[in-house]
Amino acid sequence: MREIVDKIMAYPYPLRFALWHKLRSKQRGFTRQHYYNCVARAAAEAAALGHERLTVVEFGVASGQGLLELERICSYVEKTAPVRFDVVGFDTGVGLPPPTDYRDTPWKWQEGWYDMDVGKLERSLARAKLVLGPVAETVPRFLAEGLSSPMGAIMFDLDYFSSTTDAFGIFSQSRAEDRLPRIFCYFDDLGSIEDVGVPRAIADFNAAHEAKKVRQRMYWRDLRDPYALPWKIYEFHDFRHPDYMRPVRKQKQA
C-alpha cells in the first residue's frame, strides 16, 4: 500500500488527487467525499451530545445514485462511530415541477427533468426511506409523524429556489429534539448570483429567522481535495437550541 501511495504522490497536481480519490473510493466503497464529510462530522457531534442514532436526509433523489451513496457512506461510518443511521430521501417521484418564477432559474432547469423509476429504486435501497411528493406537503407531514432520531446532515439537490425554500421547513418547522443544534448541509446547485436559485433561498431564510441561520463553512480540512467540494458545504445553526452551548470538542494538547 505504501508503494502505491508513493507512486501517486509523484504525479503532478491535480492528477495525483484524481488517482488518490480513485484508490480511496475503491477501498471505502463510495465516491462522494462531500457527502461523507457532512455525515462523518454529524456523527462525531451526535456522539459528543450522547445520541446513539442520527437521521441523514437527501432532498432531490432523482435516479437514486446519491441516496444509494448515502447508504454506503453511513455503513462505512458505522464501522468506527458509536452512532447508527436512519436515511431519508425526499423527491416528487416524477421529476422537477413547473418553475414558479424567475427565481427558479427556468433557463437552466425544465419541468420533468430528473424523473425517478420508483419501483426500481425501492428494490435497490437497503435502509433508506423514500418520501414522495411535493416537499411543501411532505416535509410537514414527515415532521408531524415524528422522527426516529435527530437530524444531523442534509444534502440539498432540488435545483429550484421554490423547492429549496419549501425544504427549509425541515429547519423552521421541526422541534429542537428532532435535530442537532448544528446540521451539516451540502448544496449541489449554487448558481452564479445570490438573487436567484438556491443562494436566494438561503438568503431569504436567513433574513426571516433571527436565531436560525444557514451559513457557508469558513474552513474545511479537505480544502485542497477537489472531490470534497468545500465551498458547497454549509451549516445550519439554531442558536436557541437547548444543546447549542454544550461542548462537543475536547481540549487539544498544547
Side-chain angles (χ1 to χ4, degrees):
M1 179 64 182
R2 181 62 189 176
E3 294 179 358
I4 296 176
V5 172
D6 289 341
K7 288 181 180 180
I8 290 175
M9 295 308 294
Y11 286 100
Y13 177 89
L15 179 58
R16 68 173 179 266
F17 279 99
L19 292 172
W20 173 248
H21 176 73
K22 185 175 182 179
L23 175 63
R24 182 177 59 183
S25 299
K26 184 177 181 180
Q27 290 182 320
R28 300 190 302 186
F30 60 87
T31 62
R32 301 194 185 197
Q33 178 69 19
H34 43 294
Y35 275 28
Y36 168 77
N37 284 348
C38 293
V39 172
R41 187 66 181 266
E45 184 141 333
L49 292 172
H51 297 289
E52 296 181 350
R53 296 195 70 85
L54 188 65
T55 293
V56 297
V57 176
E58 184 184 51
F59 280 105
V61 176
S63 66
Q65 295 307 306
L67 194 59
L68 291 167
E69 187 86 323
L70 199 53
E71 286 189 331
R72 291 190 287 267
I73 289 169
C74 288
S75 295
Y76 178 84
V77 174
E78 284 177 344
K79 294 178 181 178
T80 55
V83 175
R84 296 297 174 262
F85 293 96
D86 299 303
V87 184
V88 183
F90 287 83
D91 198 275
T92 65
V94 293
L96 290 178
T100 57
D101 59 35
Y102 75 94
R103 292 171 297 179
D104 283 344
T105 60
W107 62 90
K108 295 175 61 177
W109 317 110
Q110 296 182 24
E111 180 182 358
W113 281 12
Y114 312 121
D115 58 336
M116 174 191 296
D117 186 334
V118 177
K120 180 180 178 182
L121 178 56
E122 287 181 332
R123 290 190 295 271
S124 300
L125 294 173
R127 70 165 84 187
K129 172 186 177 182
L130 274 179
V131 181
L132 301 178
V135 289
E137 300 173 7
T138 56
V139 166
R141 185 164 63 242
F142 172 75
L143 295 174
E145 292 173 352
L147 279 69
S148 301
S149 58
M151 295 175 288
I154 303 178
M155 319 302 159
F156 291 90
D157 191 6
L158 292 169
D159 304 324
Y160 285 171
F161 158 83
S162 58
S163 300
T164 303
T165 297
D166 291 338
F168 282 166
I170 206 83
F171 299 140
S172 60
Q173 300 170 29
S174 56
R175 303 174 303 171
E177 56 263 38
D178 286 335
R179 47 183 161 76
L180 299 185
R182 291 161 293 277
I183 297 178
F184 298 88
C185 305
Y186 166 77
F187 290 93
D188 187 62
D189 299 295
L190 291 174
S192 57
I193 63 175
E194 296 182 353
D195 304 275
V196 296
V198 173
R200 175 66 178 270
I202 295 172
D204 285 3
F205 178 88
N206 288 334
H209 296 86
E210 178 184 359
K212 295 177 181 178
K213 302 295 180 181
V214 177
R215 301 291 192 191
Q216 192 174 31
R217 279 187 58 83
M218 300 299 294
Y219 171 80
W220 198 268
R221 179 181 297 178
D222 293 317
L223 188 62
R224 296 186 62 205
D225 185 343
Y227 298 96
L229 305 180
W231 62 94
K232 293 187 175 186
I233 294 177
Y234 286 59
E235 290 180 12
F236 163 79
H237 284 234
D238 178 1
F239 306 135
R240 294 174 182 163
H241 192 287
D243 287 338
Y244 190 82
M245 296 183 67
R246 285 183 59 190
V248 296
R249 299 177 61 190
K250 295 181 179 179
Q251 180 178 336
K252 296 182 179 180
Q253 295 295 325

